[in-house]
Amino acid sequence: MLIIAPIVAVALAGAYPADPGPGDDRPNVVVVLADDLGRGDLSCFGGSVAPTPNIDRMAREGVRFERFYVAAPICSASRCGLITGQFPARWRITSYLQTRAGNRACGQDDFLDPSAPSLPKMLKAAGYATAHIGKWHLGGGRDVVDPPKFAAYGYDVGLGTYESPEPPPDVTATDWIWSADDPVKRWERTGWMVDRTLDFLKDHADAPCFVNLWLDDPHTPWVPSADDMKIGPNGKAAGKGDTLERLAKVLTNLDRQVGRLLDAVRESKSKRPTLVVFLSDNGPLPTFARKRTTGLRGSKLSLYEGGIRMPFIAWGPGLAPAGVVDDSTVLASVDLLPSLCALCKTAPPEGYAGDGEDLSGALLGKPAKRSRPLFWEYGRNPTSFAYPKPPKDRSPSLGLWDGNWKILVDADGAGAQLFNLAADPAEAESLASGESERARSMKQRALDMRRSIVGPGPVPGDAR
């Protein structure tokens, strides 16, 4: 029986102390995380929804990854994997965080345990100024009124939105994703978040900075301007329908605001380099999914490629080389913690057990071969699952990737599907019957991985 154990990180040679003193050349790092954005939402990844000239330029001036995977096909779990460098199931987050009763029904905690490893906490200990700006969705909102504050995860500044412990009144005046009463309107939020990021970088120019700039575009409702706003009968602000035209306008604004961020970095007189990475938390909603995933099967809520294979760009003048398209490195969001720690010349604390690996060389334009498998668990019992409407996009709940092979299987061992992603990236045909021994082995590894995380004994919802 093979159980995939988390890797234990060791101290990096030459790691910086908390105060490195004169000559500190560690880079600023800004992680731009879009919400529900698919590969096909960006023209540099072959999309046609809207032109995205600023992000396209970012790709031309940096490293664009063709094989990047997030930790889950849904927001909270995906964000957990990014911040901890561990598969989110380890922290009892396998779906989206919601009400207390809903979380209990899903077998989830109400928030990310503040004892969990945290990238900002590690960088703060090494002397970085740290900020979270934008969507959080790792605790808070609805009736979860006492989640840990941002400081518990290592942030000096925390400016969340709805579904966070500390939403400022400028962007969330009520208990919904946005309100017409907010001083900052729905269509102004991305610009507001970029402004706060630039303010933070300016205010902490004497120290290296780490900023999570986690946008809530292009999550619905798509409200690109005041003319597109409508107040529904429940008094909440809503759109007039989520159409491709409205999505295109939202994407145009998102691209413009990312361009403002990049322009500010280009024009900065600081001698400290800045690395900006751009990615999405999960695939797009099933509406218009094929157009928004560049033909990949699945969407948000699915472990097929359209739900977890996302755009990723690493950009940094003087750091990342221009014009690199990396179609060989298999990079994952759980790799960002060890990779960014390495680039920031620090190390995770002794005993940190991560599921990712240091692929920092790939972020600097040197393709690397992945040595560790990837594992996904979406939902832990029937209450946990939301599905895409197209039945063929409703994936099993577990996934394991190793080499060019990917197995999907339900937690009770049923419904195994095996794909050779090198030959069939669209996952059109399962090879589980023709490759029966490989399918059997990979299925067992996926089930063993889940059992090693969940522990012995029956697990509610093993059969769904």
Side-chain angles (χ1 to χ4, degrees), residues 339-383:
S339 299
L340 292 177
C341 277
L343 290 177
C344 295
K345 300 179 183 177
T346 188
E350 185 177 354
Y352 166 70
D355 291 304
E357 56 186 297
D358 175 7
L359 297 177
S360 54
L363 298 180
L364 301 183
K366 301 174 182 178
K369 183 174 176 59
R370 174 170 211 89
S371 63
R372 296 181 59 78
L374 295 171
F375 170 80
W376 297 272
E377 180 178 8
Y378 169 47
R380 188 151 284 178
N381 60 48
T383 305

Side-chain angles (χ1 to χ4, degrees), residues 110-132:
D110 288 325
F111 45 77
L112 176 62
D113 188 332
S115 72
S118 160
L119 175 58
K121 192 180 296 184
M122 295 174 191
L123 293 180
K124 178 178 172 61
Y128 268 71
T130 57
H132 176 89

Side-chain angles (χ1 to χ4, degrees), residues 236-257:
K236 295 179 178 179
K240 298 177 182 177
D242 293 321
T243 65
L244 271 176
E245 179 183 9
R246 292 159 60 81
L247 170 61
K249 292 179 181 179
V250 170
L251 291 173
T252 296
N253 181 59
L254 185 155
D255 178 76
R256 181 185 305 116
Q257 301 304 333

Side-chain angles (χ1 to χ4, degrees), residues 81-151:
L82 193 159
I83 195 175
T84 65
Q86 296 179 324
F87 301 138
R90 296 191 185 280
W91 296 100
R92 287 171 50 86
I93 300 178
T94 56
S95 188
Y96 72 97
L97 295 182
Q98 47 174 297
T99 63
R100 291 183 180 274
N103 290 331
R104 285 195 299 273
C106 291
Q108 295 194 124
D109 290 346
D110 288 325
F111 45 77
L112 176 62
D113 188 332
S115 72
S118 160
L119 175 58
K121 192 180 296 184
M122 295 174 191
L123 293 180
K124 178 178 172 61
Y128 268 71
T130 57
H132 176 89
I133 297 168
K135 181 173 177 177
W136 177 241
H137 211 166
L138 286 171
R142 297 181 172 86
D143 63 349
V144 180
V145 297
D146 58 348
K149 304 300 185 184
F150 282 114

Side-chain angles (χ1 to χ4, degrees), residues 30 129-135 156-161 166-171 183-185 188-204 209-215 257 260-261 264:
V30 180
T130 57
H132 176 89
I133 297 168
K135 181 173 177 177
D156 296 313
V157 171
L159 297 174
T161 60
E166 298 166 274
D170 281 353
V171 292
V184 177
K185 304 306 180 186
E188 299 170 336
R189 288 160 72 101
T190 297
W192 182 89
M193 293 173 190
V194 169
D195 286 344
R196 301 292 79 73
T197 299
L198 295 177
D199 288 345
F200 184 84
L201 294 173
K202 181 179 179 181
D203 292 344
H204 297 82
C209 296
F210 172 80
V211 182
N212 270 342
L213 172 55
W214 288 6
L215 310 177
Q257 301 304 333
R260 289 180 55 234
L261 171 70

